[in-house]
């Protein structure tokens, strides 16, 4: 039976195996600090441990149930809010002329691609909040200083 284990700030996918009458944990993958099971993780684990059968759907559902976005003091919520604030500050301090001075069209192109992708993602997520407003209740901003 595979399950997700947290150790420090990282999450791991582990599986219990019996060896010589004792149960040992087999570390299948490090999932990182956000505990995501991506297609890449599935491929790597399947390639590295071909004889271990895993219910990927159940594992992903287990992870989805672990993140409690309703609790403003939850570490996942605090990290998300902190990351969004830092990104807002970084983008506000960024000026396009700085990009021209750098003289790197590759960097400029990549930054534009990533900012357009971010814009699209934000529009989709804001649309999801708009459609599901009844589920989320009234969305009030979190108080500063937490």
């Amino acid at each position: 039976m595979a399950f997700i284990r947290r150790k420090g700030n990282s999450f791991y996918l582990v599986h219990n195996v019996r060896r010589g009458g004792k149960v040992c944990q087999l570390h299948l993958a490090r999932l990182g600090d956000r505990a995501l099971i991506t297609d890449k993780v599935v491929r790597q684990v399947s390639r590295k441990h071909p004889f271990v059968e895993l219910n990927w759907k159940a594992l992903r559902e287990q992870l989805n149930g672990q993140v409690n976005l309703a609790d403003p003091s939850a570490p996942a919520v605090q990290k998300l809010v902190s990351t969004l604030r830092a990104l807002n500050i970084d983008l506000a301090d960024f000026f396009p002329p700085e990009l021209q001075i750098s003289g790197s069209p590759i960097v400029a192109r990549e930054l534009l691609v990533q900012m357009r992708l971010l814009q699209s993602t934000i529009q989709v997520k804001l649309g999801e909040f708009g459609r599901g407003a009844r589920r989320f209740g009234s969305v009030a901003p979190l108080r500063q200083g937490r």
Side-chain angles (χ1 to χ4, degrees):
M1 169 108 186
F3 57 96
I4 309 301
R5 160 135 309 151
R6 182 179 183 156
K7 187 171 184 179
N9 290 331
S10 294
F11 291 87
Y12 296 88
L13 177 63
V14 296
H15 181 68
N16 286 339
V17 292
R18 192 171 291 277
R19 291 187 180 149
K22 291 187 175 186
V23 175
C24 299
Q25 284 189 353
L26 178 64
H27 287 251
L28 302 175
R30 182 181 183 277
L31 303 177
D33 60 349
R34 291 195 53 207
L36 295 175
I37 296 180
T38 62
D39 291 337
K40 182 179 177 182
V41 169
V42 172
R43 283 191 305 273
Q44 287 175 342
V45 170
S46 298
R47 195 176 312 125
K48 190 175 177 183
H49 304 282
F51 299 110
V52 177
E53 291 185 30
L54 301 173
N55 183 345
W56 293 108
K57 183 180 177 184
L59 287 167
R60 284 182 170 144
E61 287 173 2
Q62 178 186 351
L63 283 177
N64 289 341
Q66 283 186 351
V67 178
N68 182 7
L69 294 178
D71 179 8
S73 63
V77 173
Q78 292 294 315
K79 184 168 184 179
L80 179 60
V81 170
S82 173
T83 301
L84 287 172
R85 284 183 183 146
L87 179 60
N88 278 314
I89 291 169
D90 288 346
L91 287 174
D93 289 342
F94 178 73
F95 297 100
E98 293 175 5
L99 209 53
Q100 294 169 346
I101 294 170
S102 75
S104 175
I106 295 170
V107 171
R109 193 173 22 248
E110 181 63 22
L111 279 170
L112 287 174
V113 165
Q114 292 303 319
M115 288 191 334
R116 286 185 181 123
L117 178 61
L118 177 62
Q119 180 184 23
S120 298
T121 304
I122 289 172
Q123 286 174 340
V124 167
K125 291 300 168 187
L126 287 174
E128 289 174 358
F129 275 93
R131 283 192 307 272
R134 283 181 228 98
R135 280 190 315 190
F136 299 106
S138 62
V139 179
L142 292 176
R143 291 195 322 242
Q144 294 285 344
R146 282 193 171 185

